[in-house]
Amino acid sequence: MEILKADFEASLPLLQKAITECDFVAMDTEMTGLASPANIPKFQDSLSTRYSKVSVSAANFLVIQLGICTFTWSDDIGGYEARPFNFPCFPSSADEAKAGERFFKCQSTSLEFLLNNGFDFNKWIRHGIPYLTRPEEEAYIMRKTEKTALHAAVSTTSSNIPIDDRNREFVETTIAKIKEWLQSPEEPLTVSAPNSFFRRLVYQVVRTDFNDELHVAANAQARTMTIQQYTDEIRYQQEQAKLAKPPMLNLRRVLDMISDARKPLIGHNCFLDLMQISQQFLWDLPLELDDWKRALMLEWDTIIDTKHLAGHPLISPLLPTTALETVSESVQKAPFATVGPKIVMAENFNRYLADASVPVAANVAPQESVTKGEETKDDPKYHEAGYDAYITGQAFLRFTGYIIKERQRLMVEDEEHTRKKRRLVDGDIEVDDVFARAIQAVREAEPALLKAQDEKQEVGEDEEEEEGEVLETETEKDAILEKRKRVIMDNPTTEILETEELRDYYNLLHMMRSDIPVMNLAGPDLEPEERPWCFLLKNIPSGFQTSTLFHLFRSYNPFRFNWIDGTTASIQLNGRGFKWSSRGGPASSAPQACDGQGLGSGLPEREGVAAVAAVAAASAHTVGTKRKHGEDHTEHNKVEN
């Protein structure tokens, strides 16, 4: 369901109900850019450095679409009902929300990407929902309060209308009517006020001649003024009216609902999403990473990154990649779709495809009502924030469902294997043989038992027919049985959130292109103090490419090169799978996968530097001289740890 600016306030009760009753919420964002060239994260960055870089990007670029999807367990369907919401968000310049005005950057490749995926920029600007952060909202209320107080002060001192021959009769008549009414003020007094000029005169009379102790209300349509004595209720309403209130049209209210409901928040590769949400909707990002993590945990107790969960040993071998689109396609097929919980779209939420494990015809019935402006879609809408939020939550349920079922299956297999290994022998007859004979005896006695049961049932049916009772049809019996099955089925959310194996993956954010695999939101991060297999290559000749460096360092088993600028790059050697010889070179060059950890022993640090430096110098010299036909214009590479 897409919610635009004109429908936002009317949709708040629906949003509140969906969030309050759900089991968890998935989210996604779309932005005007990802990172400026000066702040592109590098492989060798510490987490604090990466946080600082992404903080700059979060302040420069803008969230232009927010998507959330609530997932609510339903006993009636024996599965989860999904309610995806898509919000285009645009910082308003309207008078009421002036504090939300933004100045932001755009990245051309990001805008091109959004356009190619069907993003409507006209709709974004024209119908996007405005938003304010909490500090911006406080500043807005303060300015509005000061403006209201200033306006009231000006009204009482300099806005009195001079009394002259044109209005004296009206003023004197009004004063006389009020004095007469005060003799018996049980019912309100109504006086004539043909236009705004005379209405101002009535307000002025009450303020100056009666010390502003009477309540006056105007009825412009009837051209009258109603005067009555103050009551406690009227005084309270006036005091409340004087208080400046935040604008109702603020998309942050949706995020506040999720935070107040203390629902788990699910994202995919969501470090940047969370940084953008913090900066654009909640509060200015703090300078220190630890401060941001603490503030984020105060908003949401549990944050789950499905990109990190996709690295689980039972999940990772089943995925070609962990990109969201690939993950979505994978979890809609076996083995995930056959073991995960059922997922269907809730009524009126048919903007997107429902769970692919359920036929489309079963997801959207022809008679179901469709929200105005929406149509049933048979094609996925990747990179629309609402849809990406939905498939993120779907992947979470498929992953966790598969892990739990697979662990149960492995446990049963282990128990069966243990039972077979612990056979007890009673004489020459094993226990398994005893079990087999007992089962055979039951099977032999089964026909007689069934016959007796049928005779008893026939007697019971005859008695019921004699009493005039109507027997249930087979269809009714099946319906009752199906209903009982669904009632017996428990909500798996608690098991999903509290299983210890899965909890080890929660509140951890996946780190892209880093030898520090995750960021721990709920505790200290395990950053390596040293990187014994990482070196810095300086003064690389112009024209060198990554493939050239891989060729030059092939005997040292390189795992990754990361360019810092045109003449500097970091090299990460594979620290597993080979030993260093006494001559300072690698004894084995068989390439193997790197897990981001060094051996921690073997070649001393300075010897490793010398070895890499020697290869770099010799190789660079050789390539440089070949390129210049004997003229050596290549400065030897310098290698630093």
Side-chain angles (χ1 to χ4, degrees):
M1 177 181 292
E2 185 165 51
I3 297 179
L4 306 180
K5 178 166 59 177
D7 307 320
F8 179 70
E9 291 186 41
S11 302
L12 287 175
L14 174 64
L15 286 162
Q16 183 70 68
K17 179 178 173 62
I19 292 170
T20 302
E21 296 179 353
C22 76
D23 293 284
F24 65 88
V25 181
M27 66 85 191
D28 188 70
T29 63
E30 299 297 335
M31 294 158 278
T32 60
L34 300 178
S36 57
N39 293 295
I40 295 177
K42 302 293 185 180
F43 178 82
Q44 65 272 14
D45 287 343
S46 66
L47 291 184
S48 296
T49 300
R50 177 160 297 199
Y51 170 78
S52 298
K53 288 183 176 181
V54 177
S55 296
V56 175
S57 299
N60 287 339
F61 299 105
L62 202 66
V63 174
I64 58 179
Q65 203 175 67
L66 173 68
I68 69 167
C69 185
T70 65
F71 289 80
T72 308
W73 178 262
S74 171
D75 287 329
D76 292 336
I77 66 171
Y80 287 92
E81 288 185 326
R83 292 176 174 83
F85 298 90
N86 190 65
F87 306 94
C89 41
F90 184 76
S92 174
S93 59
D95 290 338
E96 189 179 12
K98 199 72 172 178
E101 188 175 23
R102 297 285 200 281
F103 300 90
F104 58 91
K105 293 182 179 181
C106 293
Q107 189 172 346
S108 59
T109 52
S110 295
L111 299 186
E112 225 172 19
F113 174 82
L114 291 170
L115 186 64
N116 292 336
N117 283 278
F119 187 84
D120 189 339
F121 288 94
N122 289 325
K123 180 195 288 186
W124 166 53
I125 297 174
R126 187 173 293 114
H127 301 293
I129 303 168
Y131 52 91
L132 297 174
T133 65
R134 292 180 186 135
E136 287 171 342
E137 189 174 80
E138 292 174 2
Y140 165 82
I141 293 174
M142 186 177 298
R143 284 199 299 270
K144 193 171 182 181
T145 302
E146 293 173 352
K147 183 178 179 181
T148 302
L150 179 62
H151 178 74
V154 171
S155 299
T156 57
T157 57
S158 61
S159 61
N160 285 348
I161 300 172
I163 306 301
D164 53 25
D165 294 339
R166 293 174 300 175
N167 55 36
R168 183 173 286 108
E169 182 181 357
F170 176 82
V171 170
E172 291 175 351
T173 302
T174 302
I175 292 173
K177 286 183 178 180
I178 295 174
K179 287 182 177 179
E180 182 182 356
W181 168 75
L182 285 173
Q183 303 301 317
S184 180
E186 288 80 11
E187 296 295 330
L189 171 66
T190 301
V191 298
S192 176
N195 54 43
S196 60
F197 176 78
F198 290 102
R199 289 195 292 272
R200 287 183 61 191
L201 281 173
V202 174
Y203 282 120
Q204 181 175 312
V205 165
V206 172
R207 185 172 62 249
T208 58
D209 292 78
F210 297 93
N211 298 322
D212 208 13
E213 293 180 354
L214 300 174
H215 177 257
V216 184
N219 188 337
Q221 187 174 3
R223 298 184 178 185
T224 60
M225 304 282 285
T226 302
I227 303 173
Q228 60 182 324
Q229 289 188 320
Y230 273 109
T231 63
D232 292 340
E233 182 179 356
I234 292 175
R235 291 184 187 278
Y236 175 77
Q237 290 175 353
Q238 281 197 335
E239 291 299 323
Q240 290 296 311
K242 292 178 183 178
L243 297 176
K245 296 179 177 60
M248 295 290 290
L249 201 58
N250 186 355
L251 184 56
R252 199 202 71 240
R253 297 179 66 184
V254 176
L255 295 168
D256 288 341
M257 290 178 187
I258 302 173
S259 178
D260 293 341
R262 314 310 297 172
K263 301 297 182 180
L265 190 66
I266 318 297
H268 185 85
N269 198 21
C270 55
F271 174 51
L272 180 56
D273 295 281
L274 292 170
M275 293 280 284
Q276 285 280 4
I277 286 174
S278 301
Q279 175 67 38
Q280 300 292 333
F281 296 101
L282 301 179
W283 19 258
D284 293 333
L285 289 170
L287 294 177
E288 299 297 330
L289 170 61
D290 288 341
D291 294 336
W292 176 71
K293 293 196 295 184
R294 281 191 291 268
L296 199 65
M297 287 287 94
L298 291 176
E299 299 288 344
W300 296 287
D301 298 326
T302 304
I303 297 175
I304 302 169
D305 189 344
T306 53
K307 179 89 169 180
H308 177 52
L309 187 59
H312 190 282
L314 292 177
I315 302 295
S316 181
L318 304 176
L319 299 175
T321 70
T322 56
L324 183 57
E325 186 172 340
T326 305
V327 166
S328 176
E329 294 172 355
S330 299
V331 299
Q332 296 178 50
K333 305 172 185 176
F336 299 109
T338 57
V339 297
K342 182 180 180 181
I343 307 171
V344 299
M345 288 292 178
E347 185 178 2
N348 296 332
F349 287 82
N350 36 24
R351 179 177 176 83
Y352 310 127
L353 271 175
D355 184 40
S357 65
V358 180
V360 174
N363 289 326
V364 182
Q367 66 271 18
E368 285 185 353
S369 59
V370 179
T371 304
K372 183 179 179 181
E374 294 188 359
E375 296 178 355
T376 301
K377 301 295 181 183
D378 290 336
D379 58 328
K381 296 177 74 68
Y382 292 117
H383 308 298
E384 182 170 287
Y387 183 74
D388 285 356
Y390 164 67
I391 61 178
T392 296
Q394 182 191 53
F396 170 66
L397 288 175
R398 291 286 180 259
F399 286 166
T400 54
Y402 178 79
I403 291 170
I404 291 173
K405 295 293 184 182
E406 191 67 8
R407 286 302 184 203
Q408 291 173 349
R409 184 187 66 82
L410 294 174
M411 186 179 299
V412 170
E413 288 184 355
D414 288 343
E415 290 176 354
E416 178 66 18
H417 181 68
T418 303
R419 189 186 65 81
K420 289 181 178 179
K421 291 175 67 175
R422 294 179 179 177
R423 291 189 178 185
L424 300 177
V425 179
D426 184 10
D428 295 331
I429 304 176
E430 294 186 352
V431 173
D432 283 356
D433 293 337
V434 175
F435 288 157
R437 293 179 183 180
I439 293 172
Q440 183 64 29
V442 171
R443 288 176 178 173
E444 291 175 355
E446 187 175 6
L449 293 172
L450 291 175
K451 182 178 180 181
Q453 185 176 0
D454 290 341
E455 292 175 353
K456 183 177 181 181
Q457 184 176 358
E458 289 175 2
V459 172
E461 290 175 355
D462 292 340
E463 291 177 353
E464 289 179 355
E465 290 175 355
E466 289 175 0
E467 295 174 359
E469 295 184 2
V470 179
L471 297 178
E472 296 174 344
T473 64
E474 292 298 325
T475 304
E476 291 172 336
K477 291 179 180 178
D478 292 340
I480 293 172
L481 181 60
E482 181 65 20
K483 185 176 181 180
R484 287 175 180 171
K485 286 180 180 179
R486 290 175 178 174
V487 171
I488 293 172
M489 185 180 298
D490 293 330
N491 184 348
T493 305
T494 301
E495 183 179 11
I496 289 173
L497 295 177
E498 295 184 0
T499 298
E500 185 174 354
E501 180 177 4
L502 295 174
R503 286 180 63 86
D504 291 340
Y505 283 79
Y506 299 165
N507 289 328
L508 298 173
L509 301 183
H510 177 77
M511 291 289 104
M512 292 283 288
R513 301 180 182 90
S514 174
D515 62 348
I516 307 169
V518 294
M519 175 185 290
N520 185 3
L521 295 176
D525 295 303
L526 300 176
E527 296 194 38
E529 296 181 359
E530 296 182 357
R531 295 178 171 88
W533 306 111
C534 291
F535 302 91
L536 186 66
L537 304 179
K538 288 188 174 181
N539 303 321
I540 300 174
S542 61
F544 269 40
Q545 298 180 354
T546 304
S547 58
T548 309
L549 295 178
F550 268 107
H551 174 73
L552 294 178
F553 287 89
R554 64 187 183 277
S555 59
Y556 284 83
N557 203 12
F559 174 65
R560 180 185 284 109
F561 288 92
N562 292 279
W563 289 92
I564 298 173
D565 54 41
T567 61
T568 309
S570 65
I571 174 176
Q572 181 186 3
L573 305 181
N574 187 349
R576 186 182 295 274
F578 66 87
K579 296 180 179 179
W580 292 84
S581 67
S582 58
R583 295 176 295 175
S588 171
S589 59
Q592 297 185 20
C594 178
D595 59 1
Q597 297 178 348
L599 292 175
S601 61
L603 183 71
E605 182 178 345
R606 63 178 183 274
E607 190 174 350
V609 173
V612 176
V615 173
S619 302
H621 176 79
T622 302
V623 174
T625 52
K626 285 183 178 179
R627 182 184 296 134
K628 295 297 182 179
H629 302 285
E631 297 180 7
D632 184 7
H633 293 276
T634 304
E635 183 179 352
H636 291 286
N637 288 7
K638 296 180 181 178
V639 183
E640 298 178 1
N641 189 17

